[in-house]
Amino acid sequence: MILLNGVRKAFGDKQVLRCVDLHVAKGTSMVIIGGSGTGKSVLLRCILGLVEPDAGTIAVDGHDIHEGDRDAFLARFGMLFQGAALFDSLSVWQNVAFRLLRGSLRRPKAEAREIAIEKLRRVGLTPDVADAFPAELSGGMQKRVGLARAIAADPEIIFFDEPTTGLDPIMAGVINDLIREIVTEMGATAITITHDMSSVRAIADTVAMLHEGSVKWTGPVARMDAAPDPYLQQFIHGRATGPIAAVR
Ligand SMILES: Nc1ncnc2c1ncn2[C@@H]1O[C@H](COP(=O)(O)OP(=O)(O)OP(=O)(O)O)[C@@H](O)[C@H]1O
Ligand SMILES: [Mg+2]
């Protein structure tokens, strides 16, 4: 479903992605792990066409991401941005239903609101939150609103950038289960970025570890623990010493 070949991206003289090769099979859930600042969020932005790589190719469902209609391309995706990124001036339900209120996915307002309330329920929020504004919610609630927005239009492909950061362990478990369900029930293809190893185990079919701008290790989650790669082992066990320098 998603295929990256030799993707490179620098910002100024800072080479962030050096040569990324990655493939995500349709209907599977990939989790990307890796140190802070290794380019995980940039990678997702490249796939969406929000950041233009310096070299390499990116294809979604067999087509280069620059082919065809941009709106139709983006309509296939749902995205939870790192830090939720809600619109402050819109109510919660209007945030969730943002894409259902405009463009090619447009629905009548009452229907859009109903869908928003249903999606809020799926992420553990009650209907009374619908008319609140983002500033009135806790960080964890904002995160869940961002998640509800990402799934609002039943996308084929979903990106979750740090979906459980800032949530309590129980809510993190709820969100992990939800992501797993979305992939299994809706047949969606998902890429999740996380630092949370319990999320990795709950969500992933396959894991890719980014280090110094390329995929250091990738494979099925079941093979992660026994994989001999010292970078991967340091990361999954959170060791301060090892081949990955703690000061970057
Ligand atoms: N638009 C931009 N302009 C300049 N530099 C950028 C831009 N976007 C990202 N970077 C740089 O690219 C590097 C990778 O950023 P990115 O946000 O992808 O990291 P990350 O792996 O998601 O880290 P974290 O786990 O902390 O979220 C960082 O050094 C960042 O400063
Ligand atoms: Mg990031």
Side-chain angles (χ1 to χ4, degrees):
M1 190 61 155
I2 301 171
L3 190 61
L4 280 77
N5 265 318
V7 171
R8 299 168 68 90
K9 179 68 191 175
F11 293 103
D13 56 6
K14 185 167 187 164
Q15 194 68 47
V16 178
L17 303 177
R18 287 167 199 272
C19 185
V20 174
D21 299 316
L22 199 69
H23 68 99
V24 187
K26 193 170 190 157
T28 66
S29 168
M30 169 167 277
V31 171
I32 299 180
I33 57 175
S36 208
T38 50
K40 303 180 300 296
S41 297
V42 168
L43 185 67
L44 291 191
R45 286 168 194 271
C46 286
I47 300 170
L48 290 170
L50 301 175
V51 166
E52 192 55 36
D54 302 326
T57 57
I58 305 177
V60 169
D61 212 2
H63 298 279
D64 186 275
I65 58 167
H66 298 295
E67 266 176 46
D69 180 59
R70 180 96 190 121
D71 281 349
F73 173 79
L74 287 175
R76 304 177 71 178
F77 288 87
M79 166 96 197
L80 170 68
F81 288 96
Q82 191 169 8
L86 301 175
F87 300 105
D88 295 336
S89 59
L90 297 180
S91 68
V92 163
W93 84 264
Q94 287 169 328
N95 264 283
V96 174
F98 191 80
R99 298 177 64 188
L100 303 174
L101 292 169
R102 46 185 67 68
S104 59
L105 299 170
R106 192 184 188 112
R107 312 278 177 90
K109 201 171 167 187
E111 190 187 329
R113 187 183 155 92
E114 219 167 276
I115 295 171
I117 289 174
E118 165 55 23
K119 300 296 176 183
L120 287 167
R121 194 174 284 121
R122 288 207 69 180
V123 298
L125 293 171
T126 51
D128 56 293
V129 172
D131 294 308
F133 282 85
E136 302 171 75
L137 306 181
S138 73
M141 289 166 90
Q142 290 177 10
K143 194 82 169 187
R144 285 185 274 158
V145 173
L147 194 60
R149 181 175 63 187
I151 61 174
D154 298 326
E156 286 172 71
I157 307 164
I158 318 189
F159 293 162
F160 302 104
D161 197 343
E162 302 279 357
T164 58
T165 307
L167 300 182
D168 69 67
I170 295 169
M171 193 45 66
V174 169
I175 297 302
N176 288 338
D177 291 350
L178 176 72
I179 292 175
R180 193 60 256 181
E181 252 174 67
I182 290 165
V183 175
T184 312
E185 283 170 22
M186 292 169 40
T189 305
I191 300 182
T192 306
I193 295 173
T194 187
H195 292 120
D196 176 354
M197 291 313 296
S198 64
S199 282
V200 176
R201 293 174 203 286
I203 295 172
D205 295 313
T206 53
V207 177
M209 180 175 173
L210 265 192
H211 180 69
E212 290 187 343
S214 61
V215 176
K216 190 80 192 142
W217 184 85
T218 186
V221 66
R223 286 214 217 117
M224 182 176 72
D225 289 311
D229 187 277
Y231 293 84
L232 177 72
Q233 290 306 322
Q234 185 187 353
F235 193 86
I236 65 181
H237 293 107
R239 295 192 192 108
T241 56
I244 308 173
V247 179
R248 263 167 266 140

